[in-house]
């Protein structure tokens, strides 16, 4: 794996894992009022398109990190739904 | 511009503009308690690395959309700081 691929993976881990603190905070406080459902739906669309783009360009960092982000966004939507009455 | 480039731009606009609802909500409610500063700092690092990666790969969708996301994340950090005492 080339240096630039590794750098791309680190970039993708950063932009994807930036969803984690929000996810952890939501689980801990059981509050998700300040989190927009719309934001996550738009992001899911974006992640799916990026995965398609990554496959078309054979770009491993784009494919792998958008799969990661897709999983985290789905998890966040589940918690948003779970804590909807608080 | 090829179809795949346009698709990449749409993907990038989705993942970047997903920051907008959160930004608008924060401005309207003047509340940013559920928004992690750490999340935005990690994202700023990720956006910067993606921009470097995009230039190395001459990938226009990656460069342009990460500049957009970088701007939105900086704006969000400014509002987070502004509403820190609420």
């Amino acid at each position: 794996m080339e240096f630039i691929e590794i750098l791309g993976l680190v970039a993708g881990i950063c932009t994807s894992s930036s969803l984690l603190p929000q996810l952890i905070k939501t689980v801990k406080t059981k509050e998700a009022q300040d989190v927009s459902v719309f934001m996550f739906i738009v992001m899911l669309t974006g992640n799916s398109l990026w995965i398609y783009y990554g496959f078309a360009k054979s770009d491993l960092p784009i494919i792998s990190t958008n799969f990661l982000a897709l999983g985290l966004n789905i998890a966040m939507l589940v918690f948003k739904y779970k804590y909807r009455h608080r």
Side-chain angles (χ1 to χ4, degrees), chain A:
Chain A
M1 190 179 275
E2 285 175 50
F3 169 74
I4 194 67
E5 299 284 310
I6 295 164
L7 191 137
L9 280 175
V10 174
I13 289 165
C14 282
T15 50
S16 303
S17 71
S18 63
L19 298 165
L20 267 181
Q22 192 66 65
L23 197 63
I24 293 162
K25 201 172 187 177
T26 301
V27 173
K28 275 189 184 165
T29 62
K30 300 194 194 308
E31 296 257 352
Q33 289 158 313
D34 271 9
V35 181
S36 310
V37 170
F38 181 71
M39 170 178 168
F40 287 97
I41 290 168
V42 174
M43 215 180 254
L44 287 178
T45 309
N47 293 148
S48 306
L49 291 175
W50 272 128
I51 289 167
Y52 183 89
Y53 181 83
F55 275 110
K57 292 247 174 180
S58 304
D59 194 312
L60 185 69
I62 292 181
I63 297 167
S64 53
T65 58
N66 276 286
F67 265 116
L68 175 62
L70 195 71
L72 293 174
N73 277 314
I74 289 169
M76 191 64 214
L77 267 181
V78 170
F79 284 115
K80 175 75 181 171
Y81 178 77
K82 194 175 171 187
Y83 301 136
R84 71 196 180 283
H85 293 309
R86 290 168 192 264

